[in-house]
Each structure stands twice: as C-alpha cells, then as structure tokens.
Amino acid sequence: MNATWSRFNVTSIVLGFAFLYLPIVLLIVFSFNESKLVTVWGGFSTKWYVSLFHNQGLMDATWVTARVGVISATVATVLGTLAALTLTRYTRFRGRVLFSGMVFAPLVMPEVITGLSLLLLFVAVGLDRGFLTVTLAHITLTMCFVAVVVQSRLVSFDRSLEEAAMDLGATPAKTFFQITLPVIMPAIVSGWMLAFTLSLDDLVIASFTSGPGATTLPMKIYSQVRLGVTPEINAACTILIAVVAVGVIIASIANKRREVQRQLDERAAQRG
Amino acid sequence: MSNIAVTNAATPSAAGQPFGARLAAGFVNRLVIIVPYLWLLFFFLIPFVIVFKISLSQTAIAMPPYTPVLDFSDGVSGFFAGFRDLNFDNYVWLTQDALYFKAYVTSLIIAAISTVLTLLVGYPIAYGMARAPATIRPTLLMLVILPFWTSFLIRVYAWIGILKPEGLLNQLLLSLHIINQPLVILNTYTAIFIGIVYSYLPFMVLPLYSSLEKMDYSLIEAAKDLGCPPTSAFWKITFPLSLPGVIAGCLLVFIPAVGEFVIPDLLGGSQTLMIGKTLWNEFFANRDWPVSSAVAVILLLLLTVPIMLFQRAQARAQEQDK
C-alpha cells in the first residue's frame, strides 16, 4: 500500500489541509493580538476576550442563537429521523417522489431563496417575525440534513435484527425503541450536532426571518464585519470554534466508546 | 444482543397481538410519513407558491409592502378580485434592466468557474486520501469534515484578514521580495473564487473520496502490466470510475454557489455583481418585495435542471447502497 501512496499523494494532502486550516489558525492566533490592527502582531493579550464579555449586544445575540440552535436542532432531529425512516422503509406510497424531492432540494437550494420564501410565508399567515419564525425556518432547513445523515445509517441497517425481535414476540414499537433506535443512535446524535451547527452558523435565512429582539450571533458578527475587521470579532469567532470543536470531540469519543461496547456485547452474545 | 432475547421471552408472540394494537401500529406507520410530509409541504413547497404570487404583485408603501395582499379581509369576492390585479410587470421590468441579466449571467459563470477550480483542487486531495494507508483514512476523513463544523461566516471572514492590501498574504509576499507592491485581491472576482473554492471544498472532496475509495485498484495494476502509461490509465480507468463522485461534487458546489450571498458580499466588495447579492439588496435596501420575488423565481427556474440532476444522483446512490 505504501508504495502506491506516492510523494504526489502526500504532497496534495498536506497542501490541501494547509489550505483548509491555515485561515482558521491565523484567525485564532490574531484573536490574542495585543494590537488593534488585526494583521500586525503586537504581543500576546487576552484583552479582546474581556471586552467581548462586556459587549451586551453580543452576549444577548449569543443567548438567542444558543436557544434557537437547541430548540430547532431537537425538533429537526425528530422530524428528520421520521423523514429518513419514511425514505428507507416505505418505498411505495403516493407522493413519494415529491417527498424525496422536498427532502433533497433544501440541501442545495440557495439560501436567499429559502429565506425569502419562508419570510413571505410568515407574512402571509400573519406570524410576527422574531424568535419563533427563526426557529421554524431553521427546523425546516436542518431537518433535511438530519434526514440524509440518518438515512445513510438506516440503509446499511441489518433488518434481520428487527425480524428476530418480532419473531421473539416484541411489538413493533418495542422493536423500534429497543433495536432500531439504539443502532441508529450515533447517526441521530451526529444529525443533531449537524443541525445545531447549521443553525449556529446561518446568516442569510436568519436575516430574512428574524425580527427585532431576535438578532442572532451571525447577524451581529456580520453587521460588525461590514464595519471592519476587529480583534474582538476574532475572539468571538474563536470562542464559537472552540465550543463546536469541544462538542465534536466529545461526540466522537462517546461514539467510539459505544462502538467498542457494542462489539464486546456482540462477542459475548456469540459465545452465548 | 442477548439481553433483548431475555426481556422479550415473557411477551406473547406477535401473531397473538390484539386487534387494537395492530390498528395502532398502522396509525403510527402513517404518522411517520405524514408528520415530516406535512411539515415540508407547509414550510418548503407552499412558500414557493407564495413567492410566485408576490412576484406578480405591485410594490406598495404599506405593511406588507405589496398589493394586492390577497387575504379574506374583504370576504371571498375580495380575495378573487385581487387576482385581477396580478400581472407579469415585474418580469418585464427584469428584462428591461440590463443589470439583472448581467447579474444572472455573471453568477452562472462565476459558479461554473469556481466549480471547475474546486474540482481541480479537490481531486488530488480525494485521490491521495483514497490511496492512503487504511489505518489513517478515518483520521483524514475527519480532518476534511472538521472545517465543515466551523462557521461558514467565520471562514469567509478569516480570508478578509489574509487578502486585504495590508493583509497577511501581501505582508508575506512583500517580505519575501516576490512582489514590490501589494496585490489587490480583496473586492475582486479573484477573491470570490478563492472564497467559494475554500468554503465548498469539503462538499467536493467527500463524494469524490467515497467513489474513489470503492474503486478496485487492481484495474490500474492490470493496465500498467499491459503497458498503459499512468496518465492514460488515469483518464481511461480512474476518472470514468469516479464520475458519479465528480457529478455529485460539482452539483453540490455549483447550485448553492450560483445564489451565494455571503462570499460576494464580504470578499467581492461593491463592484462585483452576483444575483444573490442583487436579491438581498432589492429586499433589504430597496424594500421591493415583488421584484426580489421575481428575481428568486427566475433564479429557481435557472437552477431547476441542476437540482433535478442532483436529486436523480442522490436517488441512484441510495439504490446502489441497498
């Protein structure tokens, strides 16, 4: 194998990852810059983090974003998992083509279109723009991503496990909660995390569907970025990156543990 | 696995279920389909109908800022009377102003060029990953997915500090005496290309990797044994076999890139013209909801074919996995 992994392959990977990571690393490094000029190094300092915590507008936006993220990711995970079950289990029902179209299209739909159309819907039904409308919009967008993640796990799922449980007398509901759900749980967890991150990240759809009092963090960052690059925004971005990175690391460790446990269980079961 | 058998041993067999339980199961089955179905109908499909309707309305100084509103405040007859006021004036307006036409064409061209650039950058990475020792492949995959978790806005923002005239790239090039004058990259189309390639790279690498990883490399060995030079082996074997990944990756980059707003707005400056930005300005700066709806409808029509291709590719991939 090593013989075929040529110098060209290694170089392209190293350069590729440098391209992917260098901008983020630079952003983090310059958030600790003493100087107000973002691109000139003036010594190490954490003063921008301190001033960040005194910025009430930014703190309020963070709180709004966190609540929208948690609520929308949770609802989207339930709906997305149901959509994934529908796509993999019910191969024949009226309107299936339309359904799969509605699940896949939002993945690539330009955000300006989704944002505008959702806003016009909210206006048409007379819903005031604010916290609720952003949350509903984020549920709609992210449930499709959850559906795709969970679906890819369901496709490789061994259905004979379910049949065995039913043969042994488990009800469909019990089979679902005791067999199916634990097996697809890692996909559901990563679906939730993806939904949460997408919600945390979204600027365009939030700008369209949000109203006064529900300014999210990306909207706040965006309005400040337009005025110029400042170390304070670098600091806010660094915290956001750190939160997500810690979440991803915890999730992957938990995932690995569960996987190891499952293999041990399987081996124990085979020994009888 | 063993504990499940134990807990279920006491329950009666499925055939002995009461009628009510089976009825409930049927109801639950239907609910699984209906709930997400209705949600998407209401929040995804119906909004497009509303966008289309408002694109036929006129701008008004009111809230909502268009007329006719089409509601039932004047009773059913008032609702239908409103239909007579709908017309295609906004579309006529779009064709008359060269700015919109230029914005559409520019967006399509920029998206196409960026897609090709992303493919050129992404292919060697995906290929290198697929040929990497199996033990480090999961780590490499994780490293490609990781930037995906960090905010899109932040990643675009990070490039401002690098590309601006007194930015890090110019500082580096000046100090190495490669250039004498700072390069003007920020607020040009070049910056937009860099932004799109950078932001969408994982979308390209992942489908490419998954089709390259499945490939049987003994085919290449065979071609080599039969005297085929490496480059022609690549074009005759590797590339055709990775085509599903190439198509999926290109569509995943091209479609959202056409309507991109954040990248042209932050990196492209005010001089560059892209349709996502135009729509945003019509809506937020000019407060012209009907015209921005018409812009959205045409953008959607332009993207119908690529979106349908994307769905077909998704459906086919799903069939193959089964």
Side-chain angles (χ1 to χ4, degrees), chain A residues 10-31:
Chain A
V10 179
T11 318
S12 57
I13 284 187
V14 170
L15 286 179
F17 284 142
F19 177 61
L20 277 178
Y21 282 94
L22 215 53
I24 302 173
V25 171
L26 288 172
L27 177 109
I28 294 173
V29 167
F30 279 92
S31 76

Side-chain angles (χ1 to χ4, degrees), chain B residues 46-118:
Chain B
I46 291 179
F48 287 132
V49 179
I50 298 175
V51 170
F52 182 66
K53 186 236 121 187
I54 288 172
S55 73
L56 304 177
S57 308
Q58 301 304 312
T59 316
I61 302 172
M63 189 64 209
Y66 51 84
T67 179
V69 177
L70 282 198
D71 58 12
F72 291 99
S73 55
D74 297 331
V76 178
S77 60
F79 180 81
F80 285 106
F83 273 102
R84 260 174 274 138
D85 295 332
L86 296 177
N87 55 53
F88 284 90
D89 284 359
N90 294 316
Y91 293 92
V92 175
W93 157 255
L94 288 190
T95 54
Q96 279 166 351
D97 196 332
L99 177 90
Y100 296 103
F101 180 74
K102 224 180 130 190
Y104 281 115
V105 174
T106 319
S107 301
L108 289 172
I109 293 173
I110 288 181
I113 296 174
S114 329
T115 306
V116 173
L117 290 175
T118 316

Side-chain angles (χ1 to χ4, degrees), chain B residues 3 142 224 270 316:
Chain B
N3 57 343
M142 181 75 188
K224 251 187 220 156
S270 53
R316 209 175 299 144

Side-chain angles (χ1 to χ4, degrees), chain A residues 5 20-21 90 95 201 222 234, chain B residues 29 37 128 143 151 157 198 265:
Chain A
W5 209 40
L20 277 178
Y21 282 94
Y90 305 101
D201 191 18
Y222 173 73
N234 277 22
Chain B
N29 271 345
Y37 207 115
L143 282 172
S151 168
Y157 165 74
Y198 179 71
D265 189 63

Side-chain angles (χ1 to χ4, degrees), chain A residues 1 4-5 12 19-21 39 86 90 95 101 104 117-119 139-140 151 168-169 197 201 222 229-230 234 244, chain B residues 8 11-12 29 32 37 39 43 47 51 124 128 131-132 143 146-147 149 151-152 157 161 171 198 265 283 311 314 318:
Chain A
M1 199 66 212
T4 57
W5 209 40
S12 57
F19 177 61
L20 277 178
Y21 282 94
T39 49
T86 305
Y90 305 101
F104 291 128
S117 64
L118 278 164
L119 164 78
I139 292 170
T140 311
Q151 186 208 18
L168 290 166
T197 328
D201 191 18
Y222 173 73
V229 180
T230 68
N234 277 22
V244 174
Chain B
N8 286 332
T11 52
N29 271 345
V32 168
Y37 207 115
W39 184 284
F43 286 105
V51 170
R131 304 303 298 268
L143 282 172
L146 211 57
W149 294 98
S151 168
F152 187 77
Y157 165 74
Q171 283 182 29
Y198 179 71
D265 189 63
F283 186 86
Q311 283 175 2
Q314 284 282 320
Q318 197 189 322

